[in-house]
Amino acid sequence: MDNPFMARAIQLSLDNVHSGRGGPFGAVVVKNGNIIAEGANQVTSTIDPTAHAEVVAIREACKKLGVFDLEGCEIYTSCEPCPMCLGAIYWARLSRVYFANADADASRIGFDDSLIYRELAQPLSQRKIPMIQMMREQALVAFRAWENKSNKIEY
C-alpha cells in the first residue's frame, strides 16, 4: 500500500543517511491531510541524544501550530518508535502512529531498544543505572503548589 506521507518519512530517513546528519530515521506529522512538520534523526549532528526523528517532528509541529497537544494529528515514521519517542507521542496526544520498519529491523542494524524495555520492567533497585530517591518531602512542596494553583494550564 503506497502512502505519500510514509513515502516522505522514508525519503527523509534515506536522505539523512546520505547527508551524514544522523541515523536512518524520518518522520512527518500530518493534520487534515497536510504535512505540518517533518523530522529526521539529528542525534550526531546536534550532539543531542533526544533528537530522534519523531521528537524533532513533534517539536516542530507544536511550534508551528502553537500548541503542546497534537490531538487530531497523525505521525508517520520510517521505523517503529523507540521507548522515548513512544513516550513523546503519548505526551503529545497524537491520534495515530503509522510506521514502516519494525523495532527488530532497527535492532539488526545496531539500534536495539530491548535493554530499555527490560529495564522498565525491573524494580528501581535492580536497574543498571542506580535510581535513588531523595528529598521527597522537600520536592512535594512544588507539587502541592501546582495542585493549589488556580490559574495553571493543565496538560
Side-chain angles (χ1 to χ4, degrees):
M1 173 171 108
D2 287 339
N3 178 285
F5 304 127
M6 184 58 76
R8 180 64 184 148
I10 293 168
Q11 188 60 54
L12 287 166
S13 71
L14 185 58
D15 291 348
N16 213 46
V17 171
H18 294 309
S19 74
R21 289 187 301 263
F25 304 97
V28 297
V29 174
V30 174
K31 183 173 184 171
N32 299 326
N34 295 305
I35 293 176
I36 300 301
E38 298 182 341
N41 181 285
Q42 300 175 8
V43 170
T44 56
S45 61
T46 61
I47 312 171
D48 178 356
T50 69
H52 290 199
E54 297 91 337
V55 172
V56 171
I58 288 168
R59 288 175 180 162
E60 185 60 32
C62 289
K63 186 174 167 183
K64 188 171 184 180
L65 296 174
V67 299
F68 55 80
D69 181 335
L70 296 175
E71 191 171 341
C73 295
E74 302 172 331
I75 191 164
Y76 292 76
T77 179
S78 64
C79 188
E80 186 174 352
C82 75
M84 177 186 69
C85 292
L86 188 59
I89 287 165
Y90 275 99
W91 278 116
R93 295 179 180 90
L94 286 150
S95 296
R96 187 163 291 154
V97 178
Y98 297 96
F99 65 93
N101 291 314
D103 64 345
D105 300 321
S107 180
R108 277 193 286 282
I109 63 165
F111 297 95
D112 187 3
D113 300 324
S114 62
L115 168 70
I116 298 169
Y117 286 113
R118 285 194 309 273
E119 285 290 291
L120 289 172
Q122 293 292 328
L124 295 176
S125 63
Q126 295 178 17
R127 292 185 180 170
K128 292 188 183 297
I129 298 175
M131 306 283 285
I132 303 153
Q133 185 175 21
M134 59 178 14
M135 297 181 67
R136 179 174 178 258
E137 287 304 316
Q138 294 89 327
L140 282 173
V141 173
F143 277 17
R144 288 185 194 109
W146 173 260
E147 190 174 40
N148 295 323
K149 185 177 173 78
S150 61
N151 63 342
K152 63 187 164 206
I153 298 173
E154 301 270 353
Y155 59 96

